[in-house]
Amino acid sequence: MTMEIAVDPTGNVLTLKQGDDCMRFHAIWLRDNAQDAETRSPANGQRLIALRDIPRETRIASANIGEAGVELRFEPEDKTVVFNTGWLRAHAYDRSFQQSRGWVADDVECWDSSISDNVPTGTLPELESGGDALKSWLDGATRYGFAKVEGGPTEEGALFRVVDLFGYVRETNYGRLFEVRTEVNPTNLAYTGLGLQAHTDNPYRDPAPTIQVLYCLESTAEGGENMVVDGFACARRLQQENPEHFDVLANYCARFEYAGEDGVCLTSRRPLIELSPDGELIAIRFNNRSLATVTDIPFDKMDLWYAAYRRLGEIIDDPSMEVTFRLNPGEAFIVDNTRVLHARKAYSGTGKRWLQGCYADKDGLRSTRDAMCRKPAEAAE
Amino acid sequence: MTMEIAVDPTGNVLTLKQGDDCMRFHAIWLRDNAQDAETRSPANGQRLIALRDIPRETRIASANIGEAGVELRFEPEDKTVVFNTGWLRAHAYDRSFQQSRGWVADDVECWDSSISDNVPTGTLPELESGGDALKSWLDGATRYGFAKVEGGPTEEGALFRVVDLFGYVRETNYGRLFEVRTEVNPTNLAYTGLGLQAHTDNPYRDPAPTIQVLYCLESTAEGGENMVVDGFACARRLQQENPEHFDVLANYCARFEYAGEDGVCLTSRRPLIELSPDGELIAIRFNNRSLATVTDIPFDKMDLWYAAYRRLGEIIDDPSMEVTFRLNPGEAFIVDNTRVLHARKAYSGTGKRWLQGCYADKDGLRSTRDAMCRKPAEAAE
């Protein structure tokens, strides 16, 4: 089908029309997104100019469709740039923006206990060899916000091999790694045999670590099973049940605090449900142990906030939302700590349970996945 | 002045009145914030119970003021808890919430070039000895979002001693540290002699690193001065000039990308001006090199968005907003990368300019400062 091309009389708007399909682009957006070698470094893709280098009065002086794509000449620079029509289509912004509050990205799939038999899992040696096994594991970890690793060694520090698959350790006051086992004078309740309600780690940190790795070295104690819960699924269920509950948790900030060690006083002020300005669900913070005194909610909303917080907790505790598993030595799991809550059952003093944990960041995970996905596509162009 | 105490007939609301001063608290909030040893661990301050352990129908059955403070008995638990009245006053939420969009925290002070002679500065040995010198430097770094260090050694890796003052290195694909000097095949334009417009680092990372350290090892090249600009001050000036400009940058997400190395494809979708849900200014992202194609702004707002982005850039480039300095060997500066932009002037091929840089996180900085501030206060209680 032929594509029609038109520029409005001011030179400010380009219109491409193909049948019923119509896309408009602004001159300044087009110029700023030119992909030529003077605008973008061919070597590393970074933009070589700033907006201040593009005249404010930029307009499209002429527009043609040729073999190479859409050829535009910009004035007053007298600069000609060719845009690939597929690229323009992929980046079109002349569309409806009607996503409802709490939407999630396309590569995110909300889940409940029914995925228990389909947890993204790989063996450590297979994942370390890269290729499709790694790509599919990274893809699963991004989609579900958690994934398991099996077949690793029973060796201290082996959890770093899991991090090496996609990123870098985020060191904190807990160290590069922390030992999760019963301690005599625990600085944190995680280092006891107590059961822990599903939670996200370190909401008192800002930025909170976005990935947690827990790696099992010993597991002969009774109990101590791990559970994971999709915080996004819980927040959306809360929204379906009662939009006011969702809104009050998203519209006001809670506070979190941890000051359980000398020299440490970590505090943050963030909502339990975090949305981007255009309503994307981007993070959940939920941790009964470190929720501090909440003082940023007006008096006439506080009862509603507590009712919503209680209901969110009930949904999180609902067994139909959780995936339960028992880690054996040499097994690990990772969670997207901005989304997936983790819990553990209480365990007894008989036998031993020893995990090592560490933090990392999910931008590395997405980056590694996207670099693996993108390469063949670009090579094919 | 005597304090009057009252509980409403439902037992849901406690009222404390002292002269014209009136504070109301909800029963559930009070019970959740009890500071007794069954509710909070005396050892590490963490909450030992979850909201699910507190009955939904919790009410105040009796309330008295005594020597120790406000004594409340909660039903149906039949639990008595004493609240310090000073603590209640400090955490009162029955107040007006009328902060305007773009407010900043009390310990943040916006600045322009007029603070050039009052930059928080310490010598490395003095800061390493801790105490007041460190406390005041950390306080300045929090208040202004940047600070300088002098008197350090001209030794590779010395920048880690700056990080050790308050936190932990955030390792990334650029390494634990990165060399900022001219390279033959730069993966990043930072590794050239080009001038760089004021920017925040790595907005394509999510979470972006919240602290950057730049440490000078050699500086004989002509040019290469550093500039810093308070992004919060720039955003607020934009808002004063034109609230619509501020709003469009806060209400819609930009996109950022870096894929300049094999195996790396970092992308993010975040606004240039980030606000908390209750309007606190919490982050600025500004980087012409890594701004990707922006597609999340509706067609009828795109021109306004570009006009606002241009104006924000002009304010950032205004010399009256910037502090300029030249780092000598053994000198360093840190910036809060969520707030303060940094720039450098172009430098020539004659002579050498060699900085080492690394990332860290500001929660550690605030935590170290707060732990130093809090200790004497608590000991005095």
Side-chain angles (χ1 to χ4, degrees):
Chain A
M1 203 186 295
T2 2
M3 186 176 267
E4 294 167 50
I5 188 166
V7 176
D8 78 321
T10 65
N12 188 34
V13 178
L14 172 78
T15 302
L16 296 179
K17 217 175 159 201
Q18 199 163 28
D20 290 342
D21 200 12
C22 177
M23 298 180 289
R24 292 171 299 169
F25 300 91
H26 291 93
I28 190 69
W29 182 94
L30 288 160
R31 175 63 190 91
D32 191 40
N33 287 295
Q35 309 286 316
D36 63 293
E38 280 79 44
T39 306
R40 287 262 180 195
S41 160
N44 60 40
Q46 291 188 289
R47 191 184 277 99
L48 295 163
I49 60 172
L51 189 57
R52 64 185 177 193
D53 301 314
I54 302 176
R56 181 191 304 271
E57 62 276 20
T58 289
R59 64 184 191 281
I60 303 161
S62 72
N64 298 291
I65 299 189
E67 279 293 300
V70 175
E71 187 183 291
L72 303 179
R73 190 167 61 79
F74 294 100
E75 288 290 5
E77 287 180 280
D78 187 24
K79 181 176 177 73
T80 299
V81 179
V82 178
F83 291 86
N84 176 296
T85 51
W87 185 93
L88 285 172
R89 192 177 297 281
H91 293 87
Y93 56 92
D94 185 11
R95 53 184 170 85
S96 122
F97 283 79
Q98 302 202 326
Q99 275 167 308
S100 57
R101 236 176 161 224
W103 61 276
V104 296
D106 285 346
D107 61 358
V108 162
E109 194 173 317
C110 290
W111 50 264
D112 60 20
S113 63
S114 63
I115 65 142
S116 295
D117 296 331
N118 292 300
V119 174
T121 306
T123 69
L124 188 55
E126 164 186 75
L127 296 174
E128 284 177 332
S129 69
D132 283 347
L134 178 61
K135 190 172 139 186
S136 124
W137 185 82
L138 293 171
D139 204 56
T142 305
R143 184 165 296 282
Y144 297 114
F146 87 109
K148 284 172 69 180
V149 176
E150 297 174 347
T154 310
E155 262 172 36
E156 292 191 44
L159 81 173
F160 295 140
R161 287 173 56 183
V162 176
V163 176
D164 287 343
L165 294 172
F166 59 81
Y168 304 89
V169 170
R170 171 102 75 94
E171 187 175 354
T172 70
N173 54 295
Y174 300 128
R176 277 181 71 76
L177 66 76
F178 42 89
E179 311 287 352
V180 185
R181 56 183 166 189
T182 303
E183 289 182 3
V184 181
N185 292 309
T187 54
N188 193 300
L189 297 175
Y191 312 147
T192 67
L194 292 174
L196 298 176
Q197 186 187 24
H199 62 278
T200 61
D201 259 40
N202 296 14
Y204 43 77
R205 217 177 281 286
D206 193 4
T210 53
I211 296 278
Q212 179 170 216
V213 180
L214 281 169
Y215 193 105
C216 180
L217 293 175
E218 276 190 290
S219 176
T220 56
E222 210 158 317
E225 288 84 0
N226 283 101
M227 291 89 82
V228 287
V229 178
D230 182 359
F232 283 5
C234 294
R236 285 160 70 104
R237 185 172 147 192
L238 182 75
Q239 187 183 34
Q240 276 168 356
E241 288 180 6
N242 186 338
E244 273 201 339
H245 277 176
F246 180 90
D247 287 340
V248 77
L249 297 185
N251 292 349
Y252 295 98
C253 285
R255 288 182 185 245
F256 298 93
E257 178 172 323
Y258 174 77
E261 290 169 45
D262 277 351
V264 173
C265 181
L266 289 157
T267 56
S268 74
R269 202 187 79 87
R270 292 280 177 156
L272 299 191
I273 297 175
E274 185 176 355
L275 305 178
S276 73
D278 54 1
E280 184 186 4
L281 187 46
I282 52 175
I284 299 293
R285 289 173 182 81
F286 190 91
N287 190 316
N288 67 295
R289 285 167 291 146
S290 59
L291 184 76
T293 302
V294 163
T295 56
D296 300 277
I297 296 150
F299 180 82
D300 60 3
K301 296 280 187 196
M302 188 61 89
D303 253 353
L304 179 66
W305 190 88
Y306 261 99
Y309 172 40
R310 180 182 293 274
R311 185 60 197 144
L312 179 60
E314 287 168 353
I315 293 171
I316 285 168
D317 290 339
D318 179 347
S320 77
M321 302 301 283
E322 91 191 11
V323 170
T324 305
F325 50 89
R326 188 183 177 86
L327 287 184
N328 296 308
E331 294 181 354
F333 72 101
I334 69 167
V335 288
D336 174 347
N337 189 51
T338 65
R339 171 184 170 193
V340 171
L341 298 84
H342 62 286
R344 71 146 187 254
K345 297 200 170 146
Y347 59 96
S348 67
T350 331
K352 283 192 173 165
R353 182 178 188 272
W354 177 21
L355 306 186
Q356 288 189 322
C358 74
Y359 299 118
D361 281 304
K362 71 174 178 175
D363 51 4
L365 194 148
R366 298 183 70 96
S367 168
T368 306
R369 180 199 65 158
D370 290 347
M372 293 181 89
C373 294
R374 203 174 264 210
K375 207 162 281 175
E378 284 180 354
E381 258 179 26
Chain B
M1 204 186 296
T2 2
M3 185 176 265
E4 294 169 50
I5 187 166
V7 176
D8 79 318
T10 65
N12 189 34
V13 178
L14 172 78
T15 302
L16 296 178
K17 219 178 156 196
Q18 199 164 26
D20 289 344
D21 199 14
C22 176
M23 298 180 289
R24 293 171 298 169
F25 299 92
H26 291 93
I28 190 69
W29 183 95
L30 288 160
R31 175 62 190 92
D32 192 38
N33 286 295
Q35 307 288 316
D36 63 293
E38 281 78 46
T39 306
R40 287 264 179 194
S41 161
N44 60 41
Q46 291 189 289
R47 191 185 278 97
L48 295 162
I49 60 172
L51 190 58
R52 64 187 177 192
D53 301 313
I54 302 176
R56 182 190 303 271
E57 61 278 17
T58 290
R59 64 185 192 283
I60 303 161
S62 72
N64 298 291
I65 299 190
E67 279 293 301
V70 174
E71 186 184 291
L72 303 178
R73 189 166 61 79
F74 294 101
E75 288 289 6
E77 286 179 279
D78 187 22
K79 181 176 177 73
T80 299
V81 179
V82 178
F83 290 87
N84 176 295
T85 50
W87 185 92
L88 285 172
R89 192 178 297 281
H91 293 86
Y93 56 92
D94 185 10
R95 54 183 170 85
S96 120
F97 283 78
Q98 300 201 329
Q99 274 168 308
S100 57
R101 231 172 166 228
W103 60 276
V104 296
D106 285 345
D107 61 357
V108 163
E109 193 173 318
C110 290
W111 50 265
D112 59 20
S113 63
S114 62
I115 65 142
S116 295
D117 296 330
N118 292 299
V119 174
T121 305
T123 69
L124 188 56
E126 163 186 76
L127 296 173
E128 283 177 332
S129 68
D132 283 348
L134 178 60
K135 192 171 137 187
S136 125
W137 184 82
L138 293 170
D139 203 56
T142 305
R143 182 165 300 280
Y144 297 113
F146 87 110
K148 284 173 69 181
V149 176
E150 298 175 347
T154 311
E155 262 173 37
E156 292 192 44
L159 80 173
F160 295 140
R161 287 172 56 183
V162 177
V163 176
D164 287 342
L165 296 171
F166 60 82
Y168 303 90
V169 170
R170 171 101 76 93
E171 187 175 353
T172 70
N173 54 296
Y174 299 127
R176 276 181 71 75
L177 67 76
F178 43 89
E179 311 287 351
V180 185
R181 55 184 166 188
T182 303
E183 290 183 1
V184 181
N185 290 309
T187 54
N188 193 299
L189 296 175
Y191 311 148
T192 66
L194 291 175
L196 299 176
Q197 187 187 25
H199 61 279
T200 62
D201 259 42
N202 295 16
Y204 42 78
R205 216 177 281 286
D206 194 4
T210 53
I211 296 277
Q212 178 170 217
V213 180
L214 281 169
Y215 193 105
C216 181
L217 294 174
E218 277 191 288
S219 176
T220 55
E222 208 158 321
E225 288 84 0
N226 283 101
M227 290 89 82
V228 289
V229 178
D230 182 359
F232 283 6
C234 294
R236 284 160 70 106
R237 184 172 148 191
L238 182 75
Q239 188 183 33
Q240 275 168 358
E241 288 181 6
N242 187 338
E244 271 200 341
H245 278 177
F246 180 90
D247 287 341
V248 77
L249 297 186
N251 292 349
Y252 295 98
C253 286
R255 288 182 186 244
F256 298 93
E257 179 171 322
Y258 173 77
E261 291 169 45
D262 277 352
V264 173
C265 182
L266 289 157
T267 55
S268 74
R269 203 187 78 86
R270 292 280 177 156
L272 299 193
I273 297 175
E274 186 177 355
L275 305 177
S276 72
D278 54 2
E280 183 186 4
L281 187 48
I282 52 175
I284 299 293
R285 289 174 182 80
F286 190 91
N287 191 315
N288 67 294
R289 286 167 290 145
S290 59
L291 184 77
T293 301
V294 164
T295 56
D296 300 278
I297 296 152
F299 180 82
D300 60 4
K301 296 277 186 198
M302 189 61 90
D303 253 352
L304 179 66
W305 190 89
Y306 260 99
Y309 172 41
R310 180 182 292 273
R311 185 60 197 145
L312 178 60
E314 286 168 353
I315 293 171
I316 285 167
D317 289 340
D318 180 346
S320 78
M321 302 301 283
E322 93 192 8
V323 170
T324 305
F325 51 88
R326 187 184 177 88
L327 286 184
N328 296 309
E331 295 181 352
F333 72 101
I334 70 166
V335 288
D336 173 347
N337 188 52
T338 66
R339 171 184 170 192
V340 171
L341 298 83
H342 61 286
R344 71 146 186 251
K345 296 198 171 147
Y347 58 95
S348 67
T350 330
K352 280 190 175 169
R353 183 179 186 272
W354 178 22
L355 306 185
Q356 289 190 321
C358 74
Y359 299 119
D361 281 304
K362 71 174 179 177
D363 50 4
L365 194 148
R366 297 183 71 95
S367 168
T368 306
R369 181 197 65 156
D370 290 348
M372 293 182 90
C373 295
R374 203 175 265 209
K375 207 163 280 173
E378 283 180 352
E381 260 180 23

